[in-house]
Amino acid sequence: MKKEFIQIRCSIYEKKLLKRRAARAGISLSEYLRSTAFERNIVERITPEQLEYYQMLVRYKNNFARISNMFKKRDPKLAKTVEALAEEIRIHLKNFKK
């Protein structure tokens, strides 16, 4: 039960920034400030556009992996290049999850 009230001073820009970050995380400004004060991990929600890009990268990664498998027997150098590209996409996908 939250009954206590705390006031802080900040600039208009800081207030807008805090509100925007709270909105991206899908929580209230008060909850956002409490979470940051207690050093809790705040995860921003993924927008539909970001989700679409993520799904596209997953498809690309899978396609490059398939292409790499096709070329392994015929052209090892090309297969290594395609594998490297698929690995680079996989790394970006891992970073996206964070």
Side-chain angles (χ1 to χ4, degrees):
M1 195 84 162
K2 297 170 183 81
K3 294 182 181 181
E4 296 299 317
F5 182 76
I6 298 173
Q7 288 183 321
I8 63 167
R9 292 196 179 276
C10 63
S11 69
I12 293 171
Y13 173 76
E14 290 170 329
K15 184 177 180 181
K16 286 181 181 181
L17 183 61
L18 289 168
K19 281 185 173 184
R20 184 177 299 144
R21 287 182 180 177
R24 279 195 238 147
I27 57 178
S28 68
L29 179 58
S30 294
E31 183 61 31
Y32 181 81
L33 292 172
R34 281 192 299 273
S35 295
T36 55
F38 295 121
E39 297 180 355
R40 293 186 200 137
N41 187 18
I42 300 171
V43 179
E44 291 185 9
R45 296 188 180 192
I46 296 176
T47 65
E49 183 181 10
Q50 290 172 325
L51 181 60
E52 183 181 333
Y53 290 145
Y54 177 80
Q55 290 170 340
M56 181 180 62
L57 282 173
V58 168
R59 285 193 302 270
Y60 285 169
K61 178 212 155 267
N62 291 337
N63 288 339
F64 282 121
R66 288 184 189 118
I67 291 168
S68 172
N69 289 336
M70 284 176 28
F71 287 115
K72 272 185 182 175
K73 293 180 182 175
R74 296 186 186 139
D75 189 355
K77 186 177 179 182
L78 179 60
K80 286 181 183 181
T81 304
V82 173
E83 280 180 28
L85 183 56
E87 178 64 20
E88 186 177 336
I89 291 173
R90 187 183 68 74
I91 290 168
H92 285 292
L93 289 171
K94 276 188 173 181
N95 290 337
F96 193 7
K97 287 182 181 180
K98 294 178 183 178

